[in-house]
Amino acid sequence: DLFRAMPPADPSRYVRGQYRGYRGIDDVAADSETETYVALQLGIDNWRWEGVPFFIRAGKQMPVDATEVRIVFQRPPRLGIGGRTVPDANELIIRMKPDPGAELCLIAKRAGEEALHRVHLDLFFEEQVGEQPEPYERLLRDAIRGNFELFPGQDSVEQTWRIVQPLLDVDLAPEPYEPGSWGPRAAERLLANHGGWRQPWVGHRS
C-alpha cells in the first residue's frame, strides 16, 4: 500500500504561508494563524521510489489558477551538443486545469543550430476523448450509483493522518507573502538543490 510506504512528513521540509490582507477579510480574526499556502516535501520508502522527492504546494492568491502533476526527469549529462549549456531536464506534465491534458517537454536541438530549445508536445483530453465531467460531478454520480472506488477508505484516512501529524504538532506561524506571488520565499529553499519550482505553463492554447 502506497500510503503505508510513506514516512511521516518532516516539519523541517514544510512551509506555511498567509497572504497579506487575508486578516482584513470579513469574519477573519485580526490575529488569524490560518494558512492560505502550504509547501512540503514527501517521500515513499519502497524500491521503486526510494530517493525520489515529491514536492507539493497549494495556495490562494497565486498568479494563476492551475492544478498539475509535474514529473521532472533526471538532468542528462552534457553530450557535446548545445554548446557549453548543460541540458535542462525533460518533463512530463499531467494537467487537471486549465485545459485538462498532458504535455511532454523535451530539450531538443533544431537542425543547423547549436543552441538547445524547449519543445512542447501537447495533448488536450477534450479533443481526444470529449468533454469530461467536473470532479464533483463525477464524485456525486459515483456516490449515487454506489461506486466508491474514488472515495478513501478508513485505512487510507488513518495513514494520511499519520503522515501529516508531525506537521500539526509543530507551532509554526505562517509566513507572509504578497498576493499574486508564488508564496513565501522560504518555499524556494525547499527546492534549492532541485532546480527550483516549475511554474504552470497556462494560456498557451489561445
Side-chain angles (χ1 to χ4, degrees), residues 5-83:
M6 297 179 67
D10 182 356
S12 69
R13 305 295 294 167
Y14 167 58
V15 176
R16 295 177 70 221
Q18 184 185 93
Y19 69 82
R20 298 186 189 277
Y22 173 75
R23 296 178 180 179
I25 297 176
D26 292 343
D27 299 326
V28 174
D31 59 350
S32 173
E33 294 290 296
T34 300
E35 69 274 3
T36 61
Y37 174 97
V38 64
L40 70 155
Q41 178 180 343
L42 296 174
I44 301 176
D45 286 342
N46 62 19
W47 68 270
R48 183 182 297 276
W49 298 108
E50 180 67 29
V52 177
F54 290 79
F55 297 100
I56 301 172
R57 69 172 174 178
K60 298 181 180 295
Q61 294 291 329
M62 307 293 279
V64 299
D65 183 11
T67 303
E68 67 179 25
V69 176
R70 185 177 293 251
I71 301 169
V72 182
F73 298 99
Q74 290 189 1
R75 186 187 298 270
R78 187 177 297 163
L79 300 176
I81 62 174

Side-chain angles (χ1 to χ4, degrees), residues 116-186:
L116 295 171
H117 301 271
R118 197 171 189 81
V119 178
H120 292 264
L121 305 179
D122 299 347
L123 169 66
F124 296 103
F125 294 155
E126 183 178 339
E127 295 176 354
Q128 299 295 323
V129 297
E131 184 177 357
Q132 298 297 298
E134 295 293 326
Y136 285 106
E137 180 182 351
R138 168 73 184 277
L139 289 175
L140 289 172
R141 183 183 65 187
D142 286 352
I144 293 172
R145 294 178 175 177
N147 181 4
F148 302 111
E149 292 182 0
L150 298 181
F151 294 83
Q154 181 66 29
D155 183 65
S156 296
V157 173
E158 292 177 355
Q159 292 299 322
T160 300
W161 280 110
R162 175 188 62 81
I163 294 167
V164 302
Q165 191 61 49
L167 308 182
L168 302 176
D169 292 338
V170 297
D171 185 15
L172 184 65
E175 300 192 26
Y177 66 95
E178 296 297 331
S181 72
W182 288 105
R185 291 186 177 180

